[in-house]
Amino acid sequence: MDRRRTDGGIGPQRPDDGPVRAVPRHVACVMDGNGRWAQRRSLPRTAGHRAAEATVIDIIETARTAGVEWLSLYAFSTENWSRPDSEVAFLMRLVRRVVRKHAPLLLARGIRCRFLGVADPRIPRELARDFDDLTTLTAGSRGMTLTVAFDHGGRQDIVAAARSLILSSTPAEKVSEELFAEHLPFPDTPDVDLVIRTSGEQRISNFMLWQVAYAEWVFPEVLWPDFRAADFLSCLHTYRRRDRRFGGVPATTNGDRSR
C-alpha cells in the first residue's frame, strides 16, 4: 500500500527512509543549459531559450503544489549583456511574450511575482513596463512568491545595500547583518534553503550572494529545457535527506553523535 507522508513530504513513505526535513521554504534555480540543449540538436541557441518556457511553467506549478513558499529563478544576469546582440534581443522579446502569456495563470494560482534587478537602461521600456504591470497585478496574492532575477548580480545588490547604509548616515558600530539585509532589494525575502543548478555546472555565478550563504546546492546533470517536475521533486528529496547543521554538530541519536 502506498502510504503518503504526513510530514509535508512528497512521495511514498518507505520503512528505510528515516527522518526527513520539511520541504524547503525558499528554492532558487539557476536555469542553465539552454545553449547546450540546442547545440546537441544542431539548432540555434535561441531554440534552447524557447524550449525553456515549458520548463519554467512546469517548475512553478510543481513548486507551488509541493508547498514551496518562495521560488527564485535566475533568468538573466548582469554578465549576460556580453552575449551577442541578436541573442540578447531575442531573450528580451521572448521574456516579454512569456510574461504576457502566463500572467493570467500566475494570478489565478495566487502567485505573487517580483523582479530582482531590472536596472540597466538597455532593458526595453515595454518589457520593464510589463514587469511592473505583473508585479502590480499579483501584489495582493498570498500564495507562493515568485522572484525572477533579471539583469541581476549578487555583488551589485551588496554594493547597493552598502551605499544605502552610507547615505542613511548609519554609524559603523550600528551595522549588523540584520540591518544590512534590510537595505538589500526585497528585504522580506528569506534566505535560500536550496539552490538547484541544472546542466551539471557547479558555480554560483553571482546569484543572490547574500541569500544563498547557508543554502544547500544540488547540481542535476539534466539541461534546463529537459528539467521537469520529477527532476525538481528529486532535488527536494535530496535536500530533505541532508543534515543542515549551520556550523554546529550532528544531531544526537541514541546518545551518540552521528559521524
Side-chain angles (χ1 to χ4, degrees):
M1 181 177 179
D2 185 23
R3 293 181 291 122
R4 296 288 162 179
R5 302 181 187 220
T6 59
D7 58 355
I10 48 179
Q13 176 75 55
R14 295 185 298 274
D16 60 346
D17 272 351
V20 292
R21 302 188 57 81
V23 170
R25 183 185 184 197
H26 186 177
V27 178
C29 297
V30 181
M31 305 182 291
D32 198 8
N34 295 350
R36 275 166 286 168
W37 183 92
Q39 184 180 33
R40 291 177 184 179
R41 291 161 176 77
S42 299
L43 297 171
R45 288 176 56 84
T46 52
H49 298 314
R50 189 181 294 109
E53 176 184 348
T55 300
V56 169
I57 301 306
D58 194 22
I59 298 312
I60 291 173
E61 290 274 36
T62 303
R64 183 186 65 86
T65 303
V68 174
E69 297 178 28
W70 297 72
L71 177 67
S72 297
L73 303 178
Y74 202 7
F76 191 86
S77 73
T78 51
E79 292 78 17
N80 286 155
W81 290 108
S82 64
R83 293 187 176 187
D85 291 344
S86 58
E87 182 177 351
V88 170
F90 176 86
L91 284 168
M92 298 297 161
R93 293 192 300 271
L94 175 64
V95 171
R96 189 175 187 214
R97 184 182 65 79
V98 169
V99 167
R100 289 182 160 228
K101 176 181 176 181
H102 297 289
L105 173 66
L106 296 169
L107 180 62
R109 295 289 190 266
I111 297 173
R112 180 174 60 156
C113 301
R114 307 197 295 194
F115 295 87
L116 178 63
V118 199
D120 197 291
R122 288 173 289 184
I123 295 175
R125 186 177 309 172
E126 298 81 4
L127 178 57
R129 185 165 54 243
D130 287 341
F131 288 164
D132 289 341
D133 289 346
L134 183 57
T135 300
T136 301
L137 178 68
T138 62
S141 297
R142 294 294 178 265
M144 184 178 75
T145 295
L146 171 66
T147 302
V148 178
F150 194 90
D151 180 39
H152 162 72
R155 286 183 173 181
Q156 185 180 56
D157 286 351
I158 291 172
V159 169
R163 287 175 176 165
S164 178
L165 281 166
I166 292 170
L167 290 173
S168 67
S169 301
T170 303
E173 64 273 12
K174 297 293 185 180
V175 177
S176 64
E177 291 187 12
E178 292 75 16
L179 180 61
F180 190 92
E182 290 176 5
H183 288 258
L184 290 167
F186 304 132
D188 60 328
T189 302
D191 283 350
V192 176
D193 298 302
L194 170 65
V195 181
I196 301 169
R197 179 165 189 151
T198 55
S199 84
E201 297 291 344
Q202 300 184 16
R203 297 187 300 275
I204 298 175
S205 295
N206 200 21
F207 181 43
M208 301 182 77
L209 295 179
W210 183 273
Q211 295 87 347
V212 303
Y214 291 101
E216 297 291 325
W217 289 72
V218 178
F219 303 102
E221 293 290 334
V222 61
L223 303 177
W224 180 257
D226 291 328
F227 193 73
R228 286 295 181 267
D231 302 299
F232 184 83
L233 295 177
S234 177
C235 292
L236 295 193
H237 185 70
T238 297
Y239 165 85
R240 299 178 73 233
R241 303 299 305 166
R242 290 186 181 177
D243 180 15
R244 304 186 77 204
R245 299 193 294 273
F246 299 98
V249 295
T252 302
T253 305
N254 295 328
D256 296 323
R257 293 292 181 189
S258 299
R259 290 184 171 85

